Amino acid sequence: MLIAVDGPAASGKGTIAKALARHYGLPHLDTGLLYRAVAFTVRRLELDPEKEADAVAACDFDELTLADPVLRDDDVGQLASLVSAHPLVRAALLARQRRFAHQPGGAILDGRDIGTVIAPDADAKLFVRATPQVRARRRHDELRRRGSTLSFDRVLADIRARDARDSGRDAAPLVQAADAMPLDTSFLSVEASVAAAITLVEGRRAR
Ligand code: CDP
């Protein structure tokens, strides 16, 4: 079974994808980490994130980077949203994601364009959303736990900026696939969100 989980920043898609992976015993790929690794590498090599050729050069990042907690930093997320708008960056990461998606036995991927570009043939697609305030609250709590001192207002502004960039770009913008099942987690606990996701996937499987 191939499951696609898409949605904006801090919507809960990563938590849901990980829980689904555990529930169904499937391998999981957080595709945001790939773009974050490119962003981090651009910064490390002092390249220009606005230049497509520079960002493409960083797609050949060191695999060990993927395990570095620095990738979760807010500024790396902002930079990821800049480099991910370049079509050639998306093209450079495409084959790797498709291979993961189509491995024997199935997989779960979460990101922005899994249901639309990476795996339009997915057996079940979820589009996870929540209000910007709720998402900023979650991200702010998460960053604070990791020692960040960013204010709530700054995190909210960053989330809004990233939403606008991810949805407004020409290359694989963040949009809900026509056959995706919407899931709003604004007023759901983690447990309730995961239970709702499993119910939706089961409903799709039964059809
Ligand atoms: O965890 P969060 O939702 O904040 O971010 P993420 O999923 O790690 O993604 C970081 C950035 O990478 C996003 O803002 C997108 O610009 C980009 N991204 C993308 O373009 N396509 C994907 N499939 C995943 C992430």
Side-chain angles (χ1 to χ4, degrees):
M1 177 167 58
L2 172 51
I3 305 179
V5 183
D6 289 301
S11 54
K13 62 182 185 311
T15 303
I16 287 173
K18 268 194 235 92
L20 286 174
R22 257 196 314 276
H23 182 79
Y24 290 110
L26 290 170
H28 164 234
L29 179 65
D30 170 358
T31 63
L33 271 189
L34 304 178
Y35 294 96
R36 284 171 181 266
V38 174
F40 175 72
T41 304
V42 160
R43 198 172 67 183
R44 193 170 55 80
L45 301 178
E46 296 181 13
L47 299 169
D48 181 353
E50 306 272 4
K51 281 202 192 127
E52 186 160 36
D54 277 21
V56 168
C59 289
D60 199 15
F61 56 78
D62 180 347
E63 289 297 308
L64 292 177
T65 305
L66 292 173
D68 193 331
V70 74
L71 294 192
R72 301 284 175 196
D73 285 0
D74 192 60
D75 50 347
V76 176
Q78 289 295 334
L79 205 52
S81 137
L82 270 183
V83 299
S84 71
H86 297 303
L88 292 180
V89 167
R90 308 201 70 83
L93 300 178
L94 183 75
R96 172 186 192 142
Q97 295 175 77
R98 288 229 168 113
R99 250 194 329 273
F100 190 94
H102 297 109
Q103 63 188 292
I108 300 189
L109 289 83
D110 76 82
R112 301 287 187 289
D113 62 341
I114 310 304
T116 50
V117 176
I118 304 297
D121 56 334
D123 301 302
K125 302 179 186 177
L126 293 173
F127 194 85
V128 185
R129 53 165 63 83
T131 66
Q133 281 77 9
V134 166
R135 291 188 283 126
R137 171 62 54 212
R138 290 176 186 160
R139 187 50 50 91
H140 185 239
D141 288 348
E142 178 190 331
L143 290 169
R144 237 190 355 205
R145 275 197 300 274
R146 297 186 34 225
S148 156
T149 54
L150 281 187
S151 70
F152 172 81
D153 287 345
R154 170 66 199 284
V155 174
L156 178 60
D158 284 356
I159 282 208
R160 287 193 194 281
R162 206 131 67 84
D163 280 358
R165 213 178 296 126
D166 291 349
S167 307
R169 69 186 178 210
D170 292 331
L174 170 68
V175 321
Q176 183 176 325
D179 54 349
M181 301 175 283
L183 173 54
D184 190 324
T185 68
S186 300
F187 305 107
L188 298 181
S189 64
V190 168
E191 294 71 27
S193 304
V194 170
I198 292 172
T199 303
L200 288 172
V201 170
E202 287 302 313
R204 189 51 59 101
R205 282 225 291 188
R207 282 194 359 195

